[in-house]
Amino acid sequence: MRFNDAVVGTAFLLLAGAMIAMTFTFPPFPGQKYGPSLFPRIIGGGIIVFSVLLMLREWRAGGRPLLVLEGWVRSPQRLASFALMLAAMVFYLLASEPLGFMPTAFLIQLGLFLWFGVRPVMAVVVAVVMTIAVQYFFGSLMRVPLPRGILDSVL
């Protein structure tokens, strides 16, 4: 599936405009000429500039359809795989707080590995190793507070 660059440029233009609008709610730092809104506004301005350039390039090329569907869209298994990836994200959003990061990440990885044809033993091993590695990297090294859920007393 491929969107016309004018559609993508318009979407990013709107996103950057919303981002810049949100920065007007940021509180200023007392005694400084700039505050926490400066860098998001600079990034938003850059996104706007490149979005407009992308839109102009597409309009000069002209005549292209807004959306071109690729061959995979006609394959039921690939559509199901796409839907499963979206379902995995929704499952993480809903289950990570009550279950915790580790059980949720393990279940998502195991389910996806099995769906995509990885042998069950290998799927379990890789899901366990990757879950522990990600938990260690983000939870310990990066100090990102990951949900503990049912493992709160263990972790």
Side-chain angles (χ1 to χ4, degrees), residues 26-100:
F26 294 175
F29 282 148
Q32 290 188 356
K33 293 181 181 180
Y34 57 88
S37 63
L38 176 67
F39 291 115
R41 287 179 187 169
I42 291 171
I43 292 170
I47 292 172
I48 288 172
V49 167
F50 287 108
S51 295
V52 169
L53 290 174
L54 189 64
M55 293 163 58
L56 288 173
R57 186 183 75 173
E58 185 62 44
W59 286 328
R60 285 185 185 150
R64 293 191 232 183
L66 295 179
L67 176 66
V68 175
L69 296 177
E70 300 292 334
W72 69 267
V73 178
R74 294 174 192 86
S75 167
Q77 177 149 356
R78 290 191 178 175
L79 278 176
S81 297
F82 179 74
L84 187 62
M85 295 299 290
L86 295 177
M89 289 184 247
V90 171
F91 177 72
Y92 181 81
L93 290 172
L94 298 174
S96 63
E97 284 297 326
L99 285 181

Side-chain angles (χ1 to χ4, degrees), residues 100-111:
F101 171 78
M102 291 185 76
T104 306
F106 172 77
L107 289 172
I108 289 171
Q109 289 179 83
L110 182 62

